Amino acid sequence: MLTRPASIMLVAGSVSIGLVMGFWLGRGGGSLSAQVGGAATASGRNPVAAAEVRRVSQIQQSDVKVYEELAKQYDQFRHVDRMFEQVSKAVAPTVVHIITQKSSRHEEGQKARKFEETGSGVIVRCDKLAGLFVLTNHHVVEGGKSSKIRVYLQDGRALTPERIWSDSMADIAVLKLDRDDLPAARLGDSDNAQVGSWVLALGSPFGLTHSVSQGIISARGRHMDELRDVDNQDFLQTDAAINPGNSGGPLVNMLGEVVGINNSIASNGGGNEGVGFSIPINLARWIMNELIANGHVTRGGLGVELDSTYDYERAVKLGLDRPNGALIGKVHPDSPASRGGVQEGDVILSFGGVSIHDLNHLVNAVSMSPVGRPAEVVVWRDRHELKLRLTVGDRDRALPAELDPSQDAPPDPSGLVRRPNRPGETSNFAMGLEVVTLSTQLAARFGLPDSMHGACVVSVDAESPFVQLCRVNDVIAVINERPVASAEQAVRMLGDDGSHTPLIISIDRLEKGEVERHTIRVPR
């Protein structure tokens, strides 16, 4: 038993020790463990564990520094990121998803094939008539009746257009809406769209409505001979992703202004490969105003045929240092050009005070000129410039009735340039397959041997019995032990012959640079 003095000393000693320890901890002393035997120093007795603790701590500290530096850098970029957000927010409510119900018959007596074509569009206002309109591509609504077209808004509502105007020569269509309470996009000036400037492409790729992709203006003034049904071409080229379903959607600048209507792509497989084409909004707006005001487009014309072989060598021979302008191949008699003094072999360097870059630039400049208005033309003749004055005529009257320039353009044998999600002119259909004859150009493009023949698969319908068996670019080589030489032959052999016997089909497929043959069994 402790005596009273001993108890007092023990209490005093405990208090002193507590005060010392508290003071020590308050000055940053180490932590204490309640474990017996001084477990707090376990790490000191285990150098491996201590090293691991230090390594983890260093990694955490390094991560913190990286993200702190990233945050500092992002502060400088935040306004750019914000711009993309703001442009998307401003334009997205004006972008629509379009579904058109269509039908086609490829052979006489064949049952009409019904299908849907999807695309995009943008709600705009017009200079000629009050109300709201949807600006899109002609090929999106081509062949469809107004009652068979659905226009889906961002909020999910579906509208049916009151009226449709369309112009195939520029691939532009206008749909009249029956309401005036929707947001409309602002139209910019495509002449000011500079190469290298940022743009956004909005639309419904692969049915994924109201998607946004980002890129730049890659080039201007592109002309694609493969699009022989489009006369007015002056495409903006962009690397913003344009895929099936984007056709008709807007290409906008960083002010939220529409500078183009997305139209087509250059692609090996039918999807985006960074080369897309957009109709300049200045051309699209002019076409829209003409359609709404007059019901059709009246284009200006000179009554000439232009030489598409005009190149650097030809220009040098004529005394020019570059192939600017458009070379006249033929002047039709009693035409505006003939009456104005234009001659075969002239190079038109400027029209109406605007320097002409190439053949296509001249076509668009003349087309958009009012009929009956005088225009000053500068031509290159006999190695010097000559000023002429002529009056623009009606294109349909200025050219002979039997002349259709688009008929002279050969089809694209490679299928490189196409409208997204659109059957090719040489396509054939059977059992939900879209196939084309495998040409030498297609074989080279897909890395297949030149000797290979058959029907190349372009698309597979979701309801087709082949949907789990075939892929795009597969080549149907043999059907029921009979070699396939063309798409037409494949369609005939796939057709129902009433026997209900299964089809045994051999397809060639490119896998990792090598051609593999697969045999599939398909019930009829």
Side-chain angles (χ1 to χ4, degrees), residues 270-294:
N272 172 60
E273 295 186 21
V275 183
F277 303 103
S278 188
I279 301 170
I281 196 60
N282 289 1
L283 173 60
R285 177 166 39 194
W286 177 74
I287 295 290
M288 176 178 67
N289 289 336
E290 286 286 306
L291 287 171
I292 293 174
N294 307 315

Side-chain angles (χ1 to χ4, degrees), residues 441-468:
Q441 292 88 346
L442 281 176
R445 217 174 73 200
F446 299 148
L448 302 174
D450 295 339
S451 58
M452 184 177 292
H453 301 287
C456 185
V457 177
V458 176
S459 67
V460 185
D461 190 86
E463 303 297 326
S464 170
F466 290 90
V467 70
Q468 299 294 332

Side-chain angles (χ1 to χ4, degrees), residues 110-175:
Q110 193 179 62
K111 184 179 179 181
R113 171 181 174 268
K114 294 183 178 181
F115 64 97
E116 290 183 343
E117 182 153 349
T118 64
S120 304
V122 59
I123 300 174
V124 299
R125 294 191 180 275
C126 171
D127 303 331
K128 302 294 183 179
L129 186 66
L132 292 175
F133 304 84
V134 172
L135 193 57
T136 185
N137 286 151
H138 163 77
H139 75 261
V140 171
V141 299
E142 179 185 8
K145 297 180 180 180
S146 178
S147 60
K148 298 295 184 180
I149 298 175
R150 292 292 182 270
V151 177
Y152 291 89
L153 306 178
Q154 186 189 35
D155 59 13
R157 286 179 292 171
L159 306 178
T160 300
E162 284 186 328
R163 184 177 177 184
I164 305 172
W165 296 272
S166 199
D167 181 75
S168 62
M169 293 177 65
D171 200 17
I172 289 293
V174 182
L175 314 180

Side-chain angles (χ1 to χ4, degrees), residues 182-210:
L182 301 173
R186 294 187 178 185
L187 303 185
D189 183 356
S190 53
D191 288 344
N192 291 331
Q194 300 300 314
V195 173
S197 59
W198 268 326
V199 286
L200 300 182
L202 293 89
S204 304
F206 302 108
L208 302 172
T209 58
H210 301 95

Side-chain angles (χ1 to χ4, degrees), residues 233-508:
Q233 296 189 31
D234 189 25
F235 292 122
L236 301 174
Q237 180 183 327
T238 179
D239 65 349
I242 298 177
N243 282 296
N246 274 116
S247 288
L251 189 73
V252 302
N253 61 20
M254 297 310 290
L255 292 173
E257 300 170 335
V258 179
V259 294
I261 300 297
N262 298 324
N263 179 263
S264 53
I265 56 177
S267 171
N268 282 318
N272 172 60
E273 295 186 21
V275 183
F277 303 103
S278 188
I279 301 170
I281 196 60
N282 289 1
L283 173 60
R285 177 166 39 194
W286 177 74
I287 295 290
M288 176 178 67
N289 289 336
E290 286 286 306
L291 287 171
I292 293 174
N294 307 315
H296 65 279
V297 179
T298 300
R299 290 174 167 81
L302 301 180
V304 299
E305 295 179 38
L306 303 176
D307 191 339
S308 61
T309 65
Y310 179 54
D311 56 13
Y312 175 76
E313 287 73 17
R314 297 282 298 279
V316 171
K317 288 181 180 180
L318 293 171
L320 295 167
D321 61 352
R322 68 195 71 180
N324 282 353
L327 177 62
I328 304 299
K330 181 178 181 180
V331 179
H332 291 282
D334 197 28
S335 64
S338 175
R339 292 190 292 269
V342 177
Q343 299 179 9
E344 180 178 335
D346 285 349
V347 177
I348 296 183
L349 298 178
S350 74
F351 176 85
V354 177
S355 297
I356 299 300
H357 305 306
D358 54 26
L359 173 154
N360 191 62
H361 188 198
L362 177 64
V363 170
N364 285 331
V366 175
S367 293
M368 297 171 66
S369 297
V371 174
R373 178 173 296 181
E376 185 176 273
V377 178
V378 176
V379 302
W380 182 261
R381 182 188 300 170
D382 298 330
R383 295 181 176 268
H384 68 275
E385 293 184 359
L386 177 65
K387 290 185 178 181
L388 303 174
R389 190 174 181 83
L390 50 82
T391 302
V392 177
D394 187 323
R395 181 184 184 278
D396 293 337
R397 298 179 181 179
L399 289 175
E402 68 276 6
L403 182 63
D404 184 357
S406 66
Q407 298 299 319
D408 297 332
D412 175 23
S414 66
L416 181 64
V417 177
R418 60 183 295 170
R419 275 69 177 262
N421 206 27
R422 194 150 201 245
E425 295 184 9
T426 58
S427 295
N428 291 265
F429 299 87
M431 298 182 71
L433 288 179
E434 179 189 354
V435 294
V436 295
T437 300
L438 181 65
S439 63
T440 303
Q441 292 88 346
L442 281 176
R445 217 174 73 200
F446 299 148
L448 302 174
D450 295 339
S451 58
M452 184 177 292
H453 301 287
C456 185
V457 177
V458 176
S459 67
V460 185
D461 190 86
E463 303 297 326
S464 170
F466 290 90
V467 70
Q468 299 294 332
L469 303 172
C470 277
R471 305 176 186 172
V472 172
N473 296 342
D474 278 353
V475 177
I476 299 175
V478 180
I479 300 177
N480 289 344
E481 300 183 350
R482 295 174 58 190
V484 175
S486 67
E488 293 80 4
Q489 182 186 5
V491 168
R492 289 194 299 269
M493 296 170 70
L494 292 173
D496 187 2
D497 61 359
S499 66
H500 302 292
T501 56
L503 294 166
I504 308 299
I505 301 173
S506 296
I507 61 173
D508 291 329

